[in-house]
Structures are given as C-alpha cells and as structure tokens.
Amino acid sequence: MISWKYTFKRLNEEYEIANKKKLALDNLYESGKISLATRDSFTGDIISAIAEIDRQRKELGEKMNAKTQELEGTLKTLEMLLANYEIQHVVGEIDEDSYAREINLLSTTLETTRNELNVIKQATNQLFSPE
C-alpha cells in the first residue's frame, strides 16, 4: 500500500491535465480557431483518458478503503492491549518498568496508526470529492 501515495498523486495530475486539455480544446473551438470536427476528434481521446483515470481512481479508492478497514481493526486491537496493560498495572499484575515500556510502545504505535488512518481518509475524501 506504500505506492498509493504515488498513484494518488499521479492520478490527480493526469486528471488535471486531461481537464486542462479539454478546456483548451473547447476554447480553441469557441474562438473559431478549430472546427467542430477537430474538437470532437480530440474530445473523444480526452474523454477516454478521463474514463480510464476514473476507473483507476475507483480501483485505488477500493484499495484505500480496504486499508482503512485494516487500520481501524489494528487500532481496536492496540486500544484493547493498552487497556489490558492499564488494568494489569492498576491491579499490580505487572511491574512499573514493564508497564512503562509497553505503554510507551503501544502509545507510539497507536499514534502512528491513527496518523496513517487520517492521511488515508483525507486522501480518499480528496480522491472522491466533487470536482
């Protein structure tokens, strides 16, 4: 899933370029510099490119949603472990050093996982936001 950021960036750039091409083509037609037939000829290629980008965006979105679900499951597990260590510490089942080490590790992992989840959710929202 590491490559999702690259794919996300590439798809957004390609989508933006395709839309700029379509706009430029429409402007050329509206200004009378090209004929309707020429505009329509290029428009078909651009529309096909946009459809392919949309297909790839949907595929990436599905992968990102799967990763979101995976991270949410990981968070739940980590939170349960954290709660378990807290309870064991309160009742005196684990010593202070073990408790501090495990809580520090779990807290860091929880924060990292939450950050990754937030980044993916923001990117998913951007990927599927209205144009």
Side-chain angles (χ1 to χ4, degrees):
M1 195 62 183
I2 293 172
S3 68
W4 76 263
K5 288 182 182 179
Y6 169 76
T7 303
F8 175 77
K9 181 180 177 190
R10 180 185 57 80
L11 288 174
N12 281 342
E13 288 171 353
E14 288 178 8
Y15 193 78
E16 185 177 325
I17 289 169
N19 280 323
K20 284 180 180 179
K21 286 180 180 180
K22 185 167 181 336
L23 182 62
L25 198 57
D26 289 343
N27 288 339
L28 285 171
Y29 171 71
E30 289 170 10
S31 68
K33 294 180 180 177
I34 62 172
S35 68
L36 179 61
T38 301
R39 186 191 79 168
D40 290 348
S41 174
F42 280 99
T43 299
D45 293 340
I46 293 170
I47 289 172
S48 294
I50 290 172
E52 176 59 20
I53 293 166
D54 284 339
R55 184 195 65 75
Q56 291 178 23
R57 286 170 112 184
K58 181 180 179 200
E59 185 177 294
L60 178 60
E62 290 169 357
K63 289 178 183 177
M64 291 169 77
N65 284 334
K67 184 65 175 178
T68 296
Q69 290 176 354
E70 176 188 327
L71 288 171
E72 287 171 344
T74 300
L75 279 175
K76 182 177 180 181
T77 300
L78 290 168
E79 288 172 352
M80 291 177 76
L81 286 170
L82 183 99
N84 188 46
Y85 273 101
E86 289 287 351
I87 292 167
Q88 287 180 330
H89 179 255
V90 168
V91 297
E93 292 178 358
I94 56 175
D95 63 88
E96 196 64 38
D97 288 340
S98 296
Y99 166 77
R101 191 173 44 251
E102 293 300 325
I103 289 299
N104 184 42
L105 177 62
L106 284 169
S107 296
T108 301
T109 306
L110 268 166
E111 182 179 345
T112 301
T113 304
R114 283 185 183 121
N115 288 339
E116 183 179 0
L117 180 60
N118 286 333
V119 167
I120 291 175
K121 284 182 175 182
Q122 289 172 357
T124 301
N125 288 339
Q126 185 180 349
L127 188 65
F128 295 105
S129 66
E131 309 309 333

